[in-house]
Amino acid sequence: MRFAQRLSRLGTETAFEVLARAQALEAQGKRVIHLEIGEPDFDTPQYIRKAAADALEAGFTHYGPSAGLPEFRGLIAEQWSRDRAIPCDADNVIVTPGAKPIMFFAMLALLEEGDEVLYPNPGFPIYESVANFLNARAIPLVLREQNGFDLDLQELESKLTSRTRLLVLNSPHNPTGAVLKPETVQAVAALARKHDFHILSDEIYARIQYEGRHLSIASLPGMAERTIVLDGFSKTYAMTGWRLGFGIMEKQLAKHVARLMTNSNSCTATFVQKAGHAALAGGQAEVHAMVEEFRVRRGVIVDGLNALPGVSCFMPRGAFYAFPNITGTGMKSGELAKLMLEEAGVACLSGTAFGAAGEGYLRFSYANSTENIRTALTWLGEYLSVRAK
Ligand code: PLP
């Protein structure tokens, strides 16, 4: 079979490959602790599961509008304008199966070949992958530990050209757990207005922030019309497998994205949207409890990593990832991640799974029990101490 050339430009997400390798080891009888995959280990709250079951019984088993159910889009708009000060109504919201399609659709709708996309590196690998796939130019913005993994505004300015069309922000950030400083968000907005580019603001971890309040760039003056906010239910409500996300964007763009939905998925499953509606309308106690539990685990994993020989760990302020610096071990990230899985039974990701600037780091997801995190740290400690001798 002959494949289209464009496939050679499509990247992937290593987490799924590491998960498969870890499961193969488990099938051979090895015990593995999973700190590689980015999903809450909690069950979807019961009231949300019940809403889905009720919706199925009530006949929400048919096609729905490509843009999403109008009441659901209205509720999202109401809450996001109230809680994040993003000026919007239902016509600005497009519901998609998971948040990921918003990356794809926004780039498909906005980028011509050769247009430039600035994206964080290390960062979620799909931004670079989709930009390359569309023959746009993916330009990395390196996030540095000494800068708290914040954006380097000087570097950003120096990389702006007449072809700059889109800048990707992600705060709280995967994989570092960094939260952009409000001054940085303000400065990026000023640059976007001055140089007339768009922002894809990936806010999927906005509700998992341990200090301060999330600031959406779309809430700043003149920014709602040039920002696509990406958000969803996967992380906040432990609904990764349900596939439910959405974008908030300017209305003309929303119409185009709805047409992309018609051409690809037709619509997002309607009973899943009903569950999402219930998630937003119901009490948020379980979300708060989950975030508090993540806060405890963050302390355990960061302290534990800092106690390992050759390892030091930045304190993440959001999401559920720790991104330790491992240069003191003398090993490359990819090599160490592989050995940790094969020899110590701990699955994590190489920092390079998030771009070249992730060299020197590993990513651990602490969406696992405190007990498992402690055991993993003990195994890693034993393994690294033996290696150091
Ligand atoms: N954005 C970031 C930064 C993520 O880490 C993820 C999932 O890992 C997504 C988006 C995708 O979310 P969803 O599962 O809703 O498609």
Side-chain angles (χ1 to χ4, degrees), residues 12-284:
T12 189
E13 243 192 288
T14 317
F16 290 101
E17 286 161 23
V18 175
L19 176 65
R21 177 65 192 141
Q23 286 169 339
L25 289 172
E26 286 174 313
Q28 290 164 22
K30 241 190 123 163
R31 194 173 157 212
V32 175
I33 297 181
H34 291 272
L35 303 180
E36 78 281 38
I37 201 89
E39 67 171 343
D41 54 320
F42 300 95
D43 287 331
T44 304
Q46 206 273 337
Y47 74 98
I48 301 175
R49 286 182 277 142
K50 180 165 183 315
D54 290 349
L56 281 171
E57 288 305 316
F60 283 88
T61 52
H62 298 273
Y63 289 131
S66 291
L69 295 173
E71 331 72 86
F72 183 39
R73 294 164 66 207
L75 181 63
I76 293 168
E78 191 188 307
Q79 294 203 357
W80 263 249
S81 40
R82 182 193 69 198
D83 300 341
R84 293 211 203 147
I86 301 172
C88 60
D89 62 39
D91 292 339
N92 296 103
V93 179
I94 303 292
V95 178
T96 45
K100 244 184 197 169
I102 294 295
M103 287 169 206
F104 216 101
F105 295 156
M107 291 200 198
L108 263 174
L110 293 176
L111 300 177
E112 300 287 1
E113 292 196 3
D115 280 348
E116 295 175 3
V117 181
L118 298 165
Y119 70 98
N121 190 331
F124 192 58
I126 303 304
Y127 313 135
E128 184 184 356
S129 166
V130 178
N132 285 335
F133 186 62
L134 299 175
N135 249 341
R137 292 195 59 218
I139 316 276
L141 294 173
V142 177
L143 306 182
R144 295 180 185 83
E145 186 179 355
Q146 66 266 30
N147 196 19
F149 294 113
D150 205 326
L151 273 186
D152 179 335
L153 291 167
Q154 270 185 354
E155 183 190 338
L156 164 57
E157 265 200 272
S158 75
K159 289 187 168 171
L160 292 174
T161 73
S162 58
R163 292 303 303 261
T164 306
R165 185 95 170 105
L166 186 69
L167 182 148
V168 181
L169 291 182
N170 172 216
S171 179
H173 182 248
N174 176 11
T176 65
V179 169
L180 289 174
K181 291 197 199 100
E183 311 87 90
T184 305
V185 179
Q186 300 273 4
V188 172
L191 288 171
R193 286 186 297 254
K194 182 169 167 207
H195 296 270
D196 192 24
F197 56 84
H198 296 277
I199 306 281
L200 173 62
S201 183
D202 183 340
E203 305 186 6
I204 194 109
Y205 297 103
R207 300 274 300 272
I208 309 174
Q209 186 166 319
Y210 306 105
E211 301 142 35
R213 267 178 67 83
H214 175 76
L215 172 64
S216 174
I217 193 163
S219 69
L220 300 179
M223 289 309 291
E225 52 266 42
R226 59 174 73 249
T227 302
I228 299 104
V229 175
L230 173 155
D231 208 333
F233 293 75
S234 296
K235 318 288 175 176
T236 311
Y237 296 98
M239 290 176 73
T240 46
W242 294 66
R243 311 312 299 136
L244 186 61
F246 59 90
I248 303 177
M249 64 203 81
E250 186 273 326
K251 287 181 185 172
Q252 265 322 101
L253 176 60
K255 283 193 181 142
H256 289 301
V257 172
R259 210 147 43 91
L260 286 166
M261 271 295 288
T262 305
N263 277 267
S264 52
N265 298 288
S266 294
C267 66
T268 305
T270 49
F271 69 93
V272 170
Q273 295 185 62
K274 293 300 275 183
H277 193 117
L280 294 181
Q284 304 296 299

Side-chain angles (χ1 to χ4, degrees), residues 360-383:
Y361 297 88
L362 297 177
R363 190 198 77 172
F364 291 86
S365 161
Y366 50 87
N368 202 326
S369 68
T370 306
E371 189 194 344
N372 279 342
I373 292 169
R374 286 192 201 281
T375 308
L377 289 164
T378 306
W379 292 354
L380 291 178
E382 285 164 4
Y383 174 71

